[in-house]
Amino acid sequence: MAAGTALVYDGEMSSHKLLWEDPVCDIEVPERLSSCYDRLQHYNLVERCISVSAREGTDSEIMLIHSMDYLETVKGTEKMEEEELQKVSAGYDAVYFHPTTYRCAKLAVGATLQLVDAVMSGKTRNGMALVRPPGHHSQRNAANGFCIFNNVAIAAKYAQRKYNLQRILIVDWDVHHGQGIQYTFDDDPSILYFSWHRFEHQKFWPSLRESNYDAVGQGKGRGFTINIPWNQVGLGNSDYLAAFLHVLLPMAFEFDPELVLISAGYDSGIGDPEGQMNATPECFSHLTHFLMNLAKGKLCAVLEGGYHLRSLSESVCMTLKTLLGDPLPPLSGEMMPCLSARESIQNVRAAHKPYWKCLTYEDVTPLQDLSTRSCQAEEAESTQSNAELLTPQEVGKGNISEVIKTDRFLEMHMKSIIVSLKPPIKTAAAVDESDTHLLPPAVHIPKGLDVKEFKTTISAFDVKLMKEEALSSLLNMLAVLNKIIKKEVINGLAVSSTPSLSSAIAAAHCRKLKVQKILCVFVGDMDMKIELEDGKVLLINICAKQSEQVNTKHNISLNWKEDPETNNFFSATFGFILPVAYSYQPNLTIVIVGPNQNLGKNRISLLISLLQGLAQSQILALIQDTEEKIMQDITNILTGGFIPNFGTYAPDLKENVQMIKELREQFQQEWKLLQCSAKNSKDEN
Ligand code: X5A
Ligand code: ZN
């Protein structure tokens, strides 16, 4: 199993710089690269990565995407004087050349390919390449938008040829449309290209008709280009999250890529003068974390844009930290996608319905862009202003004083979100003596707690009737839970003969230790004994049996019908469980796996893996002792293993999708990330 994270960097790529005055290009500066690297060093992330050297991309590699003529043109700039350079530059849209541009552009290509090789050869599981000049706008015959050679497009072609890959996903989270990548793979169904971008009804650069949601690809490639046009500035964490949950992830899991490439531009982050968006650095942790569950974790992030140096470098750090497997900071801000973002999401879903099974049973009707109110205005209404702390909405505008404001905001923000020291041990377990051999050696097995210490927690329950064995396993579980709450470990698992009672005791114990919000996910048919009265618990129950209980905001049952043909659970996971969980923002997650669970180990593994994005990755997995066969899979996920393949894709059953749709409608006022369209919102009621 491949492990480790590659970092490809070469300071020489800082030599490419603008020699004359040009207000369009002057934001693409050498410090973009060095400030990222400095920040990585500041967080001691460089030393935790496997360093991979850059190299020059070869002519034939560059010609996987670009014409020989264009390559010769770029080559020719190496010997030019400033005046000539300026002339060549003027022949393209938003581009500058420097005598070292050709060398740097070759290094950017080669660095990207070195990263692909590290990941595809199994030297590392994933990695990031910090490169300049960026690539995603450049085209067969043209430089464009600061981009000379299309690093990511070349990498995709290279990976297809060298490793015989059938399916590659490219996620372009840069705030600009990577039209160069789109043109390259427009009719190619083997590359799924996803891009979101500032669009503003085609007013924003590059102002192309083909950046809109109805550009879905051509010929055989129809459906394999996904564009989310953002028609307003000021979008942020919850809008991006909604786009992932309701658009990209269902399609990406259906596509089932063998490799994920990220065109990782950070001009979609807060404070960026180009993007004018509000996503805070930890948002990129979450986006990265989602994508790490595809392609057995094979993921290459390649730098594109990003022009606010502090925002860029903090976001790069959060991306790399996540690739390294660190727990994720909670996503900040109110989890409520704005109307304009929901319109875009609805339109993309409608445009793609003919091409994706995951959308078959969703009713998505296209809609014209109706919204006129700004997102800032909308958010200002609902966000309480806080005199001490600046909110992202207040700082993300982009002029000089705003740049400094963003610096100050990020200074405070990063201090508050960076999870204090990472515990040396990731996972603790409470299992029977006879099962310890099933656990990897890195898993810590703490000593059970003394019963007296837990008298008050336990006294409310009938533990006196318990066999000694059951009681001691309960105390072992509480020892694991204690370690999670005290942050001595990140997560834990416990085997129990009475998981339902154990979970109730665990929840009671959490409350005693002042854990504010607990997310409990039950998988399997069990009685629920958890106290729900005080709203400190949100319970999601995934069961086969129809329960007669009436759903409430904090107690929701999903009656999931099993279908032997259907090896998936994606509509429930992305369409309901994660939106609710992210809206709730728990401090701790408990997953209880009981008998008759009708999901199977892959789907439970994926669910647990995704839930690690919440509650600073603090999860307790409680497994019924009759279900021990799943213990190793869950341990694998908790200790940082990757998600196995799902096998052939089959869409979720119509009745299951229907049920999810109804639940979404029922709860989208409470749990707002469930909203994936412009209707059913407060705006129209
Ligand atoms: C890579 C990138 C942006 C070009 C903007 C030109 N390019 N106005 O972010
Ligand atoms: Zn960009």
Side-chain angles (χ1 to χ4, degrees):
M1 179 169 107
T5 296
L7 175 62
V8 198
Y9 173 78
D10 188 331
E12 207 186 323
M13 283 179 277
S14 295
S15 63
H16 160 73
K17 62 170 194 263
L18 179 63
L19 294 173
W20 52 87
E21 240 174 81
D22 179 350
V24 172
C25 291
D26 63 9
I27 52 175
E28 207 287 283
V29 294
E31 292 73 25
R32 293 183 55 241
L33 219 51
S34 50
S35 69
C36 287
Y37 198 74
D38 290 349
R39 208 66 198 149
L40 288 172
Q41 279 176 318
H42 171 87
Y43 290 120
N44 298 322
L45 293 170
V46 173
E47 65 220 48
R48 294 176 55 200
C49 292
I50 296 164
S51 162
V52 171
S53 57
R55 64 167 172 88
E56 286 191 354
T58 64
D59 284 4
S60 62
E61 286 164 351
I62 291 164
M63 279 161 43
L64 286 170
I65 299 294
H66 300 282
S67 68
M68 173 121 72
D69 275 3
Y70 174 62
L71 174 58
E72 293 303 324
T73 305
V74 178
K75 257 186 207 171
T77 64
E78 212 172 11
K79 299 262 145 46
M80 286 181 183
E81 305 278 336
E82 188 173 323
E83 208 173 309
E84 255 184 303
L85 287 169
Q86 217 167 328
K87 247 216 244 110
V88 178
S89 304
Y92 301 109
D93 184 6
V95 174
Y96 67 85
F97 282 91
H98 178 274
T100 66
T101 297
Y102 176 51
R103 162 82 177 155
C104 292
K106 277 190 294 183
L107 283 174
V109 169
T112 306
L113 300 185
Q114 287 283 85
L115 176 59
V116 168
D117 280 333
V119 169
M120 288 313 302
S121 69
K123 181 176 179 188
T124 67
R125 181 187 302 175
N126 57 33
M128 181 160 205
L130 294 179
V131 301
R132 271 183 82 239
H136 70 155
H137 297 303
S138 72
Q139 296 149 40
R140 181 169 166 78
N141 284 306
N144 182 278
F146 315 156
C147 300
I148 310 298
F149 298 139
N150 203 318
N151 309 314
V152 168
I154 294 171
K157 271 257 152 73
Y158 175 86
Q160 284 186 319
R161 301 275 161 94
K162 184 161 175 184
Y163 301 100
N164 190 29
L165 299 185
Q166 311 300 308
R167 291 178 313 282
I168 298 175
L169 168 65
I170 301 176
V171 177
D172 188 339
W173 70 43
D174 187 284
V175 86
H176 301 96
H177 182 210
Q179 84 280 37
I181 302 181
Q182 174 167 317
Y183 297 157
T184 305
F185 300 115
D186 220 19
D187 58 2
D188 185 347
S190 69
I191 308 276
L192 176 58
Y193 176 63
F194 170 91
S195 173
W196 61 36
H197 31 268
R198 180 172 170 190
F199 187 63
E200 295 176 297
H201 308 280
Q202 214 179 312
K203 289 201 177 60
F204 189 70
W205 188 92
S207 302
L208 302 167
R209 178 70 191 81
E210 61 270 28
S211 306
N212 214 345
Y213 57 82
D214 56 352
V216 297
Q218 316 239 16
K220 281 201 168 81
R222 287 179 79 78
F224 295 92
T225 294
I226 308 169
N227 282 319
I228 307 191
W230 297 131
N231 288 318
Q232 285 182 357
V233 296
L235 305 189
N237 298 351
S238 58
D239 306 292
Y240 289 178
L241 188 58
F244 262 50
L245 293 173
H246 299 302
V247 179
L248 174 60
L249 294 173
M251 298 183 194
F253 276 85
E254 177 168 343
F255 182 66
D256 188 25
E258 299 153 293
L259 174 67
V260 179
L261 302 175
I262 306 178
S263 264
Y266 295 90
D267 38 18
S268 46
I270 188 165
D272 192 278
E274 277 285 311
Q276 314 256 325
M277 299 298 184
N278 283 326
T280 49
E282 78 279 10
C283 187
F284 297 98
S285 299
H286 290 265
L287 304 183
T288 304
H289 183 250
F290 286 123
L291 300 176
M292 287 165 72
N293 288 294
L294 292 153
K296 297 186 184 155
K298 286 200 282 305
L299 186 157
C300 301
V302 183
L303 185 64
E304 300 277 3
Y307 308 100
H308 183 289
L309 295 183
R310 184 68 188 264
S311 178
L312 164 67
S313 54
E314 296 291 1
S315 298
V316 163
C317 288
M318 296 314 288
T319 305
L320 203 69
K321 222 170 132 50
T322 305
L323 291 178
L324 282 161
D326 284 2
L328 286 81
L331 194 56
S332 58
E334 201 189 355
M335 287 299 114
M336 184 178 76
C338 76
L339 179 61
S340 172
R342 281 184 277 125
E343 277 173 10
S344 300
I345 287 169
Q346 179 178 354
N347 281 331
V348 184
R349 281 163 61 92
H352 276 277
K353 184 170 161 140
Y355 312 106
W356 295 92
K357 291 177 187 159
C358 58
L359 291 168
T360 306
Y361 304 122
E362 300 278 353
D363 28 49
V364 280
T365 31
L367 176 122
Q368 290 310 301
D369 307 319
L370 299 167
S371 67
T372 47
R373 304 159 69 212
S374 88
C375 289
Q376 270 113 340
E378 197 182 325
E379 266 155 49
E381 282 170 23
S382 59
T383 312
Q384 301 171 333
S385 78
N386 181 327
E388 300 281 78
L389 267 175
L390 292 170
T391 67
Q393 291 76 33
E394 290 169 293
V395 296
K397 313 270 165 60
N399 61 49
I400 296 288
S401 77
E402 306 294 342
V403 168
I404 299 165
K405 250 193 190 172
T406 305
D407 279 330
R408 284 217 317 271
F409 167 79
L410 286 172
E411 180 77 38
M412 290 194 295
H413 183 71
M414 297 316 287
K415 280 204 184 106
S416 71
I417 65 162
I418 287 280
V419 184
S420 50
L421 275 183
K422 197 173 85 112
I425 302 165
K426 186 160 188 196
T427 305
V431 299
D432 273 0
E433 204 79 58
S434 58
D435 281 343
T436 50
H437 70 280
L438 296 172
L439 299 171
V443 174
H444 175 63
I445 303 178
K447 202 169 137 292
L449 292 168
D450 190 87
V451 70
K452 279 182 234 126
E453 284 180 71
F454 289 92
K455 260 224 212 82
T456 45
T457 300
I458 290 177
S459 59
F461 301 89
D462 300 338
V463 289
K464 279 175 236 93
L465 304 173
M466 271 183 155
K467 292 208 201 78
E468 182 148 352
E469 218 177 81
L471 183 62
S472 96
S473 92
L474 205 55
L475 293 169
N476 290 344
M477 172 204 68
L478 287 171
V480 169
L481 182 58
N482 256 8
K483 291 214 171 281
I484 297 171
I485 295 172
K486 288 193 203 145
K487 304 223 163 106
E488 291 170 14
V489 299
I490 294 166
N491 57 39
L493 77 156
V495 173
S496 164
S497 55
T498 54
S500 152
L501 176 63
S502 301
S503 62
I505 292 176
H509 188 63
C510 286
R511 283 189 228 177
K512 209 179 97 190
L513 295 186
K514 303 274 186 300
V515 178
Q516 293 294 319
K517 287 188 272 179
I518 309 153
L519 171 65
C520 288
V521 181
F522 282 82
V523 185
D525 293 309
M526 283 167 277
D527 299 334
M528 246 68 59
K529 297 199 168 76
I530 291 189
E531 181 78 50
L532 284 167
E533 245 88 302
D534 59 3
K536 288 188 174 152
V537 174
L538 167 60
L539 200 151
I540 300 177
N541 178 27
I542 304 150
C543 53
K545 268 196 280 193
Q546 186 83 37
S547 78
E548 54 266 29
Q549 163 235 319
V550 179
N551 283 331
T552 66
K553 180 181 175 184
H554 288 103
N555 186 1
I556 306 171
S557 272
L558 257 76
N559 296 119
W560 193 257
K561 302 270 174 335
E562 178 60 336
D563 168 19
E565 302 290 300
T566 311
N567 185 29
N568 101 49
F569 185 52
F570 298 129
S571 64
T573 306
F574 300 121
F576 191 79
I577 299 170
L578 288 174
V580 170
Y582 269 94
S583 301
Y584 181 60
Q585 300 196 296
N587 305 100
L588 189 112
T589 304
I590 305 176
V591 180
I592 304 97
V593 181
N596 304 321
Q597 7 94 6
N598 48 2
L599 295 186
K601 55 185 187 173
N602 281 356
R603 287 175 281 179
I604 294 176
S605 298
L606 176 64
L607 182 61
I608 292 178
S609 182
L610 293 165
L611 288 171
Q612 291 187 83
L614 294 138
Q616 299 184 23
S617 305
Q618 298 180 96
I619 296 190
L620 174 66
L622 276 174
I623 306 161
Q624 170 125 30
D625 55 4
T626 55
E627 310 302 311
E628 276 182 350
K629 56 188 185 302
I630 204 169
M631 189 172 93
Q632 266 174 305
D633 299 273
I634 292 179
T635 312
N636 171 46
I637 294 307
L638 293 178
T639 54
F642 55 69
I643 299 295
N645 263 16
F646 282 88
T648 339
Y649 182 89
D652 287 322
L653 288 179
K654 186 172 183 176
E655 52 188 314
N656 283 335
V657 179
Q658 189 64 38
M659 183 260 306
I660 294 297
K661 224 159 47 187
E662 280 161 21
L663 284 175
R664 216 157 49 205
E665 253 150 55
Q666 193 182 345
F667 290 107
Q668 64 185 351
Q669 292 309 321
E670 267 92 5
W671 309 120
K672 295 205 163 59
L673 274 173
L674 288 169
Q675 300 177 8
C676 54
S677 69
K679 56 175 196 250
N680 294 315
S681 74
K682 61 171 188 218
D683 309 86
E684 265 150 285
N685 295 342

